[in-house]
Amino acid sequence: MASFALSFRSKRDDESGLSAFYNNKTTIIQEARVFNESPISPRKCRALLTRIVYLLYVGETFGTQEATELFFGTTKLFQHKDSALRQAVYLAIKELATTAEDVIMVTSSIMKDMQPNSEVIYRPNAIRALCRIIDPSMAQGVERFFKAAIVDRNPSISSAALVSSYHLFPFAKDVVKRWVNEAQEAVNAKAAASFFGPSSGGYLGFGGSSSNATSGQQTVPSTSYITQYHALGLLYLIRQHDKMAVTKMIQQLGGGKTTSSAVLKNPMALCMLIRYAAKIIEEDPNVQRYMLELLEGWLRHKSDMVNFEAARAICEMRNVTSAQLAKPISVLQLFLSSPKPVLKFAATRTLATVALTHPGSVAACNVDLESLITDSNRSVATYAITTLLKTGNEASVDRLIKQITGFMTEISDEFKVIIVDAIRSLCLKFPSKHASMLTFLSGVLRDEGGYDFKRAVVDAIFDMIKFIGDCKEQALSHLCEFIEDCEFTKLSVRILHLLGMEGPKSPSPKKFIRFIYNRVVLENATVRAAAVASLAKFGVNTDDKEFQDSISVLLNRCLDDVDDEVRDRAALYLRTFQEKQLADAYVRDDSVFSLAALESKLVAYVKDPQAAEQPLDFSTVPKISRAQAAADAARPSSLDTIGVPTTKKVSDAPPPPSAEETRSAYAQQLAEVPEFAEYGSVLNSSSSPTQLTESETEYQVACVKHIFKEHIVFQFNVSNTLPDTVLEQVSIIMQPQSDDSGLTEDFIMPVPSLAASTSPSVLYVSFTRDSPDEYAVASFGCVMKFVSKEVDPSTGQPEEEGYEDEYELEDVELSAGGDYIIPSYTTFGAEWDRLRSGASATETFALSAMESLKAACDSIIEVLNMEPLGGSETPQSTSVHTLNLSGIVSGGGGKVLARCRMTFSKGTGVTLELGVRAEKQEACNLVLTAVGG
């Protein structure tokens, strides 16, 4: 194969351009005439095939016609018996087969080389090429050949068949699954013929037949057992959806508690088996104990690769204990003193990860890790430092940071980010050492580096400002110096925003103005606009009239800016200096619109042709705090709108969707129901379903309430858990408990058929609001009625005859607070003053059943469904507390605020003085009704 090797371009070739011409696609296609010469020149053909494969590997593409011509030109070389040429032919065929047409015509030529009496060197290449050539429907026709090849004693043939089967599996699953016995036999092979071995001639000793009887060839046992690795991959691919089969396979191949009896001899196969075992542990904690014993046994394997894989698998187990970590960490500690750099790197990286959750367990390796700080491999040194930062004590912080500073300039940005993140967590762990850590961060901030590195440093300083009050002044000063020479617009904008938020609270805010105004003079339009907003926050949040006038002078200069965004911001903020109400709304207000609610509102506005006659009313869109908005941004975008009970335990599930995302999903779901097309947009929906049955019952029902302008729709998510029963004509009868509920039933949309396989299904009950301007409050008794039919086991179809039945459900409450009020964030003090002249109400309640102020706060928030503000949901005193709440009443009720003053004594419970201010009196009455009942 030496003639088939790709040679490096010489400098002379690059200078003359000969190499580019030599490997030009057009030139190669023209030279393909060499395939038609007679006699065939193996050397010329191999060279041309090499160039074709090289072009394909570097990303060159051939058109369909060009690839087809080259493909069939290549197939003419089958008539030549040169072994090296035949290998090159197979390699070219494999690469061209994906583009060329009619490639299936060469199947017979390839299958000739797959016969047992063919040259051994031909068979592996023929098998690999056939995998690319055949149509999935032909897989059954070559099944006999593949089965024989998988169990062949020659490892090259067996591995080729196994790998090819692996690639065939996605297209011919049913056929490949029948080869499981052969794959199992390949895994269990005790000894196999070597790839090399004595033979009677042939290229690389592969002359004659693979049959020992015919060639007299003496097989040499293979010491690599690589066939086991390929066979194990195929076995898992076939059984991956059968957890029990995979568990049994691990038990059989793992060799029990001792590895001496293990079937697998190949280290890579054992590593693969360890990964399968780790996956089983994650999916089924019940087998953790047995699998852990297997993993601990592999910690004593003679292969370093297997030792490390087993140690890493134990360290990454969910809820792993310190006792379980002892053995794998001991193994990793031995690797730290290994002369092999790859083992030291793997061990330090794994220990750095473990140190995040179990620093105490990793602390035993600190002495070995400190010796690696000066390691010549900077990657190893970086992970050693990172681990020590997580496991070290307060006394070692200064020494470690001094050592880190020495080699920060010698490592890549990727490792710099890792170190900065470790420093970031260390700041919060040892706040008294903030001075040295802040000095280090400010120093690396001035070094050269990319955006990700600088962002990591800025984020670390931001956290220090947020959580360590003593370092705020110094940290802000370092950030001011950084933006003087910051090349990243995003970072400059973030820092200017932080300066605007934290700077006015500083004892001497004037010192920051120079740095901020320099950005107006020297930076691009985006940074200039951010600087204007930051200046305005200093002006609005100061009581010093002279200081505010100075900022006004600076903002007046910005009115001549060339960018309209900068000019508009300057004009807006100058106006806020004159009107306190504007300042409260546009500068001091820390709330933002809920994006999910705003999107839903805009979609409903665009779809409603009559809505265009009036401007969009933003007062009905709830607001949230910036912190909540940042948290919502990390939530999943896909929503589960049904919300029925489930018995399946989901581990490590993503955070649930926010209430506004759920309402938006419900609105989209209702828009697809034709019967509700004339109802208009949904004003409010329940944030979570109310369960009307126990989770263990045979029928499970949950209710969601949707409020429209003139209607109320009750959505029932119904599940049938009986696999041998089908429910037909499922409906829910709702009976108001009182005659003056203010609601009139319109219709019921039943479920025609409900089986366990089609659960859950949704049915609706619609009511008309007799007085849309009033907020109806009612309680409904609910009964589910249906026709029950047994399922015929032989046919799987329900029987023709059934019987009528009914099922009692829990009552459904249409409450004053939770169903009509939407939580909305606001600045309570400013908004409470604004509503002083509006509607208001005050009433006193005795909550004698409440055992603490915290219990009273939780109960009031749940009943009113309003947003607690300023952390007031957590009482700081056990006797006196004030809870501030904010919300929006759906259907044009406007904003409503509630101030709950509470006192607590053991004898009388909680006494509540509820003060309500709103834009409309109906909203005040609604809040009082919700609390008073």
Side-chain angles (χ1 to χ4, degrees):
M1 291 293 288
S3 60
F4 192 62
L6 298 178
S7 61
F8 290 98
R9 298 181 182 180
S10 68
K11 183 177 180 182
R12 183 178 177 185
D13 285 344
D14 284 336
E15 291 175 348
S16 63
L18 289 176
S19 180
F21 171 76
Y22 186 72
N23 289 323
N24 181 273
K25 182 172 74 171
T26 305
T27 305
I28 287 176
I29 292 174
Q30 291 176 350
E31 293 182 7
R33 295 189 301 268
V34 71
F35 297 148
N36 299 321
E37 292 180 356
S38 182
I40 293 173
S41 171
R43 185 184 62 81
K44 289 182 180 180
C45 292
R46 287 200 306 268
L48 185 60
L49 291 172
T50 301
R51 291 158 61 192
I52 292 173
V53 174
Y54 170 77
L55 280 184
L56 291 169
Y57 280 174
V58 297
E60 186 67 72
T61 55
F62 290 93
T64 303
Q65 185 176 353
E66 296 169 343
T68 304
E69 291 177 359
L70 287 174
F71 181 88
F72 285 102
T74 303
T75 58
K76 296 177 182 178
L77 304 178
F78 273 111
Q79 58 187 306
H80 202 280
K81 298 299 182 181
D82 184 84
S83 300
L85 176 61
R86 184 68 60 88
Q87 288 182 293
V89 166
Y90 278 125
L91 190 59
I93 282 177
K94 275 171 51 184
E95 300 303 324
L96 291 169
T98 56
T99 312
E101 293 179 338
D102 301 325
V103 295
I104 203 169
M105 294 172 62
V106 79
T107 304
S108 59
S109 298
I110 295 176
M111 292 188 68
K112 285 182 181 179
D113 285 347
M114 287 181 58
Q115 302 298 327
N117 58 355
S118 300
E119 293 280 352
V120 175
I121 195 171
Y122 293 166
R123 292 182 67 191
N125 297 314
I127 292 169
R128 289 190 175 95
L130 186 67
C131 170
R132 298 286 187 93
I133 296 297
I134 62 172
D135 186 83
S137 61
M138 296 177 57
Q140 190 168 356
V142 297
E143 183 176 4
R144 179 172 58 89
F145 294 100
F146 270 93
K147 281 186 174 182
I150 288 173
V151 296
D152 196 284
R153 296 193 64 193
N154 191 301
S156 61
I157 298 173
S158 180
S159 290
L162 289 165
V163 173
S164 299
S165 304
Y166 195 96
H167 293 301
L168 272 177
F169 185 80
F171 312 104
K173 288 186 174 65
D174 295 336
V175 177
V176 177
K177 283 181 179 179
R178 295 200 293 265
W179 306 346
V180 65
N181 292 332
E182 285 72 18
Q184 185 71 50
E185 186 176 340
V187 168
N188 295 331
K190 297 296 182 184
S194 172
F195 189 87
F196 300 97
S199 64
S200 56
Y203 186 71
L204 289 181
F206 278 106
S209 169
S210 64
S211 170
N212 297 335
T214 58
S215 66
Q217 193 177 25
Q218 298 296 318
T219 59
V220 179
S222 170
T223 56
S224 70
Y225 293 93
I226 190 63
T227 306
Q228 291 186 332
Y229 173 66
H230 297 138
L232 180 62
L234 180 61
L235 272 179
Y236 180 76
L237 191 68
I238 294 173
R239 297 173 174 175
Q240 59 183 332
H241 298 299
D242 187 348
K243 191 187 303 181
M244 292 299 297
V246 174
T247 304
K248 186 176 180 181
M249 179 181 73
I250 295 171
Q251 293 171 346
Q252 290 175 342
L253 301 180
K257 297 181 181 179
T258 60
T259 57
S260 57
S261 60
V263 175
L264 297 180
K265 305 297 182 184
N266 181 266
M268 289 190 291
L270 278 169
C271 289
M272 185 80 76
L273 193 68
I274 290 170
R275 294 187 181 185
Y276 297 155
K279 190 173 182 181
I280 288 294
I281 291 175
E282 183 179 355
E283 294 174 353
D284 186 6
N286 295 325
V287 300
Q288 183 181 42
R289 183 176 178 180
Y290 176 79
M291 291 296 176
L292 184 61
E293 291 177 352
L294 283 179
L295 293 175
E296 289 178 346
W298 283 317
L299 290 174
R300 299 184 294 273
H301 196 271
K302 60 183 178 181
S303 169
D304 291 336
M305 183 194 308
V306 177
N307 297 155
F308 171 72
E309 194 66 39
R312 187 168 69 101
I314 296 175
C315 291
E316 292 179 353
M317 284 194 319
R318 191 184 295 111
N319 301 323
V320 64
T321 64
S322 299
Q324 293 169 338
L325 284 172
K327 292 181 180 178
I329 287 180
S330 298
V331 172
L332 295 174
Q333 188 174 7
L334 292 175
F335 287 169
L336 295 177
S337 56
S338 170
K340 299 178 181 178
V342 65
L343 285 181
K344 289 190 288 187
F345 176 80
T348 51
R349 187 172 66 169
T350 304
L351 288 172
T353 305
V354 178
L356 288 171
T357 53
H358 295 81
S361 300
V362 183
C365 306
N366 281 2
V367 175
D368 300 278
L369 288 168
E370 287 192 18
S371 66
L372 295 177
I373 294 177
T374 56
D375 194 271
S376 58
N377 188 316
R378 284 310 184 192
S379 300
V380 173
T382 301
Y383 276 119
I385 281 285
T386 304
T387 308
L388 286 169
L389 288 173
K390 296 169 185 173
T391 61
N393 53 34
E394 191 169 0
S396 63
V397 170
D398 293 333
R399 176 171 52 84
L400 290 174
I401 289 180
K402 185 177 179 181
Q403 290 176 307
I404 295 170
T405 308
F407 69 85
M408 279 294 284
T409 56
E410 303 176 18
I411 59 177
S412 64
D413 278 8
E414 181 182 359
F415 288 108
K416 287 180 181 178
V417 171
I418 293 173
I419 288 180
V420 170
D421 285 341
I423 293 286
R424 181 181 182 180
S425 59
L426 200 66
C427 294
L428 307 180
K429 186 177 180 181
F430 304 120
S432 61
K433 292 291 183 180
H434 69 266
S436 58
M437 289 183 274
L438 189 58
T439 303
F440 169 77
L441 291 174
S442 63
V444 298
L445 202 55
R446 291 189 290 269
D447 294 341
E448 293 294 325
Y451 172 74
D452 289 334
F453 167 55
K454 293 297 179 72
R455 182 184 62 182
V457 178
V458 169
D459 285 340
I461 296 177
F462 277 23
D463 277 357
M464 294 182 71
I465 292 172
K466 183 177 180 181
F467 297 107
I468 308 174
D470 294 340
C471 71
K472 183 180 294 185
E473 287 293 310
Q474 188 181 359
L476 290 175
S477 299
H478 287 311
L479 292 176
C480 285
E481 294 174 5
F482 172 62
I483 60 174
E484 287 287 317
D485 192 28
C486 178
E487 57 184 311
F488 303 108
T489 298
K490 288 183 178 180
L491 292 182
S492 295
V493 170
R494 289 183 61 195
I495 293 171
L496 287 168
H497 174 74
L498 181 72
L499 287 172
M501 299 297 294
E502 300 293 340
K505 305 173 187 176
S506 170
S508 53
K510 295 180 181 180
K511 66 181 181 181
F512 301 116
I513 300 302
R514 173 173 63 88
F515 297 99
I516 298 174
Y517 188 69
N518 281 346
R519 309 280 64 74
V520 177
V521 178
L522 302 173
E523 293 286 356
N524 57 52
T526 304
V527 178
R528 294 202 304 273
V532 167
S534 184
L535 285 173
K537 290 174 182 175
F538 279 85
V540 167
N541 293 304
T542 183
D543 296 328
D544 188 345
K545 184 71 167 107
E546 183 181 350
F547 184 34
Q548 190 180 75
D549 291 342
S550 300
I551 293 177
S552 297
V553 171
L554 298 179
L555 291 179
N556 271 301
R557 293 178 184 175
C558 299
L559 295 175
D560 297 327
D561 195 276
V562 295
D563 186 77
D564 56 351
E565 173 74 12
V566 178
R567 294 195 305 271
D568 291 347
R569 287 196 184 196
L572 169 67
Y573 291 130
L574 283 170
R575 183 68 178 274
T576 62
F577 288 179
Q578 303 169 9
E579 300 183 26
K580 182 177 180 300
Q581 186 175 352
L582 288 177
D584 291 338
Y586 293 105
V587 182
R588 295 194 181 97
D589 188 8
D590 191 37
S591 62
V592 295
F593 285 118
S594 170
L595 291 181
L598 182 60
E599 179 189 20
S600 178
K601 185 77 174 178
L602 290 171
V603 169
Y605 183 79
V606 170
K607 288 184 176 180
D608 188 358
Q610 298 178 354
E613 300 174 0
Q614 299 292 333
L616 180 63
D617 184 10
F618 286 100
S619 64
T620 60
V621 181
K623 290 187 174 184
I624 56 177
S625 64
R626 294 185 183 275
Q628 187 177 345
D632 288 347
R635 296 178 186 274
S637 56
S638 57
L639 304 180
D640 182 8
T641 59
I642 300 301
V644 296
T646 176
T647 57
K648 182 180 179 182
K649 183 179 179 182
V650 181
S651 58
D652 286 350
S658 66
E660 289 303 329
E661 288 175 327
T662 304
R663 292 188 186 99
S664 179
Y666 281 137
Q668 184 177 358
Q669 185 177 346
L670 292 169
E672 298 173 357
V673 181
E675 287 80 358
F676 305 143
E678 299 179 355
Y679 285 13
S681 60
V682 184
L683 303 179
N684 189 25
S685 294
S686 307
S687 57
S688 60
T690 302
Q691 303 299 327
L692 304 182
T693 58
E694 298 293 335
S695 58
E696 298 83 8
T697 56
E698 61 271 28
Y699 309 125
Q700 298 177 9
V701 183
C703 178
V704 180
K705 289 157 279 188
H706 306 289
I707 310 298
F708 292 84
K709 184 176 181 180
E710 298 180 355
H711 300 82
I712 294 179
V713 173
F714 295 88
Q715 170 185 326
F716 294 94
N717 306 317
V718 186
S719 295
N720 173 19
T721 63
L722 302 177
D724 56 350
T725 303
V726 172
L727 309 183
E728 294 185 352
Q729 298 301 317
V730 182
S731 61
I732 292 181
I733 308 302
M734 300 182 66
Q735 185 65 38
Q737 303 287 11
S738 61
D739 298 333
D740 56 346
S741 63
L743 298 173
T744 303
E745 184 176 314
D746 297 324
F747 56 83
I748 301 174
M749 293 177 57
V751 176
S753 179
L754 180 65
S757 58
T758 59
S759 295
S761 292
V762 178
L763 67 84
Y764 297 99
V765 181
S766 174
F767 285 83
T768 296
R769 300 169 65 177
D770 297 340
S771 300
D773 295 334
E774 297 179 0
Y775 302 100
V777 178
S779 177
F780 297 86
C782 298
V783 177
M784 182 171 70
K785 294 190 174 184
F786 51 87
V787 176
S788 180
K789 293 184 178 181
E790 299 292 330
V791 175
D792 188 345
S794 58
T795 63
Q797 298 297 321
E799 297 178 353
E800 294 184 2
E801 296 184 1
Y803 60 92
E804 294 186 359
D805 199 358
E806 60 181 40
Y807 193 83
E808 290 284 343
L809 305 176
E810 297 285 341
D811 290 351
V812 173
E813 300 286 341
L814 185 63
S815 61
D819 295 321
Y820 293 104
I821 300 177
I822 303 172
S824 180
Y825 182 85
T826 189
T827 306
F828 186 83
E831 197 65 22
W832 184 262
D833 292 339
R834 186 183 72 84
L835 295 174
R836 180 178 300 168
S837 59
S840 64
T842 303
E843 196 166 330
T844 303
F845 299 92
L847 310 179
S848 55
M850 296 298 168
E851 299 179 353
S852 66
L853 291 176
K854 175 60 176 172
C857 289
D858 294 341
S859 179
I860 292 170
I861 293 171
E862 181 181 359
V863 169
L864 294 180
N865 193 35
M866 297 175 70
E867 182 77 21
L869 303 175
S872 60
E873 68 273 18
T874 305
Q876 301 300 320
S877 169
T878 58
S879 57
V880 180
H881 181 62
T882 300
L883 172 64
N884 298 324
L885 301 171
S886 171
I888 294 176
V889 179
S890 59
K895 190 167 291 186
V896 58
L897 300 180
R899 184 173 64 186
C900 310
R901 293 175 173 174
M902 293 175 279
T903 61
F904 173 75
S905 61
K906 291 185 178 180
T908 60
V910 174
T911 302
L912 167 66
E913 181 192 81
L914 178 60
V916 185
R917 290 184 182 178
E919 295 176 351
K920 294 185 178 181
Q921 188 61 44
E922 291 83 357
C924 293
N925 298 336
L926 184 68
V927 172
L928 294 178
T929 303
V931 176

